[in-house]
């Protein structure tokens, strides 16, 4: 069931014309506001982040044997719809290619703008989608919910202007480190998959080097990894004319499609091993 759920979401995000909307809204903010009104420090973190994830894992496990697992399937889908939010690569690349075709010359300003768009696309895919997919594959819906609440806990505490005591400060620093590691893992998984579906000779050393430094911006890291996966003759250069840049975008989109299928293969492998 886990593989089927992940397969549906991966294919939908890659080929559906439109963003995968987030239905969470302000619920996380209201949840943590209520928790913080009752508790603080480590108890607030445990009650607001850890306990709901453990309860969801327990409930989903109990649903597995009921009505051929249909309630469990609906629960899994509901949790992922709640936590996931992803841009549309299909819409993004169509817009970039249309913009490139309408330009007579591919100048440096247009190149910088589109490069920033691609960096943003890769960062948003991992911040709102792949990070939850990998933890769902590893720990089930409880893992996806833990990651979601953990990241929202960090944002809520970061936006809170109140003074913290030493215990609260320690908890917040720990939450930031955990969030950085949660997202960083999905980024490194993608870099590994890019090495496998792109140019392994250049991609593998880049992946190994990324394991040593987790402070690099995810968008820049992923953009560099994708460019390394492209064939040398189509690497992005500001000197490319409009037609050549359109070809580069098509190769870029093709590599991103292979990345999605690499995630499908990873999901199948983890499902077989579980």
């Amino acid at each position: 069931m886990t593989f089927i759920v992940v397969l549906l979401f991966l294919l939908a995000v890659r080929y559906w014309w439109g963003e995968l909307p987030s239905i969470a809204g302000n619920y996380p903010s209201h949840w943590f506001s209520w928790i913080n009104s009752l508790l603080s420090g480590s108890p607030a973190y445990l009650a607001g982040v850890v306990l709901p994830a453990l309860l969801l894992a327990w409930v989903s496990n109990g649903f597995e044997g009921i009505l051929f697992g249909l309630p469990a399937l609906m629960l899994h889908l509901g949790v992922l719809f709640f936590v996931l939010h992803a841009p549309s690569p299909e819409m993004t690349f169509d817009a970039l290619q249309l913009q490139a075709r309408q330009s007579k010359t591919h100048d440096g300003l247009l190149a910088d703008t589109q490069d920033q768009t691609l960096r943003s696309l890769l960062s948003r895919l991992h911040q709102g989608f792949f990070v939850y997919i990998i933890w769902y594959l590893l720990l089930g819906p409880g893992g996806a919910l833990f990651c979601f609440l953990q990241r929202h806990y960090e944002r809520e505490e970061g936006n809170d202007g109140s003074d913290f005591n030493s215990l609260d400060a320690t908890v917040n620093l720990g939450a930031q480190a955990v969030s950085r590691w949660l997202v960083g893992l999905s980024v490194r998984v993608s870099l590994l998959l890019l090495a496998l579906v792109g140019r392994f000779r250049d991609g593998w050393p880049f992946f190994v080097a990324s394991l040593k430094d987790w402070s690099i911006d995810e968008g820049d890291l992923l953009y560099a990894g994708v460019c390394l996966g492209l064939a040398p003759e189509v690497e992005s250069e500001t000197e490319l004319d409009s037609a050549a840049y359109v070809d580069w975008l098509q190769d870029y989109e093709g590599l991103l499609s292979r990345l999605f299928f690499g995630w499908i293969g990873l999901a199948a492998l983890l499902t077989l091993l579980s």
Side-chain angles (χ1 to χ4, degrees):
M1 179 176 62
T2 299
F3 173 72
I4 297 299
V5 171
V6 171
L7 177 65
L8 291 174
F9 277 102
L10 285 168
L11 292 178
V13 170
R14 175 59 191 92
Y15 295 108
W16 182 34
W17 182 266
E19 293 190 354
L20 182 67
S22 174
I23 63 174
N26 293 323
Y27 290 115
S29 298
H30 296 326
W31 168 250
F32 286 114
S33 296
W34 180 68
I35 290 294
N36 289 331
S37 68
L38 302 174
L39 303 167
S40 63
S42 297
Y45 176 77
L46 292 174
V49 178
V50 179
L51 184 59
L54 291 176
L55 287 175
L56 178 62
W58 177 71
V59 170
S60 64
N61 185 63
F63 280 176
E64 293 290 342
I66 301 176
L67 293 177
F68 306 102
L70 183 60
L73 175 62
M74 299 305 295
L75 179 64
H76 285 223
L77 291 173
V79 169
L80 289 185
F81 270 119
F82 183 78
V83 304
L84 295 179
H85 176 63
S88 169
E90 192 80 1
M91 184 170 58
T92 300
F93 279 105
D94 281 358
L96 290 175
Q97 291 181 26
L98 178 62
Q99 190 178 37
R101 289 190 177 98
Q102 291 176 342
S103 176
K104 295 181 180 178
T105 59
H106 188 66
D107 54 35
L109 180 60
L110 179 60
D112 289 341
T113 301
Q114 295 198 333
D115 285 354
Q116 288 300 320
T117 300
L118 292 172
R119 284 181 171 89
S120 175
L121 170 66
L122 292 170
S123 181
R124 290 171 62 200
L125 277 174
H126 282 77
Q127 291 280 350
F129 183 66
F130 284 131
V131 62
Y132 301 117
I133 291 296
I134 187 62
W135 289 107
Y136 171 73
L137 286 170
L138 293 175
L139 300 175
L145 183 64
F146 170 78
C147 183
F148 178 79
L149 293 175
Q150 161 68 38
R151 299 181 68 212
H152 274 276
Y153 174 85
E154 177 196 355
R155 293 169 191 165
E156 292 296 320
E157 295 302 320
N159 294 330
D160 191 347
S162 60
D163 295 330
F164 299 115
N165 57 37
S166 59
L167 177 59
D168 292 338
T170 302
V171 173
N172 292 331
L173 289 175
Q176 293 175 8
V178 171
S179 294
R180 191 180 305 114
W181 187 76
L182 290 173
V183 178
L185 179 63
S186 72
V187 172
R188 270 69 187 178
V189 169
S190 282
L191 291 178
L192 173 60
L193 295 174
L194 284 169
L196 297 176
V197 302
R199 289 193 293 162
F200 186 80
R201 179 178 296 179
D202 295 323
W204 176 256
F206 187 77
F207 161 70
V208 173
S210 73
L211 299 176
K212 303 174 184 177
D213 187 357
W214 290 60
S215 63
I216 304 175
D217 178 76
E218 291 90 355
D220 292 338
L221 190 65
L222 290 162
Y223 183 79
V226 173
C227 289
L228 282 174
L230 297 173
E233 61 269 15
V234 295
E235 288 180 348
S236 175
E237 297 289 347
T238 57
E239 297 85 5
L240 290 178
D241 59 26
S242 178
Y245 191 76
V246 169
D247 292 338
W248 181 81
L249 282 173
Q250 291 174 345
D251 289 318
Y252 197 108
E253 184 178 9
L255 181 60
L256 190 65
S257 296
R258 297 199 297 275
L259 173 62
F260 271 81
F261 282 99
W263 274 92
I264 292 174
L266 175 66
L269 178 62
L270 292 177
T271 301
L272 291 174
L273 294 176
S274 62

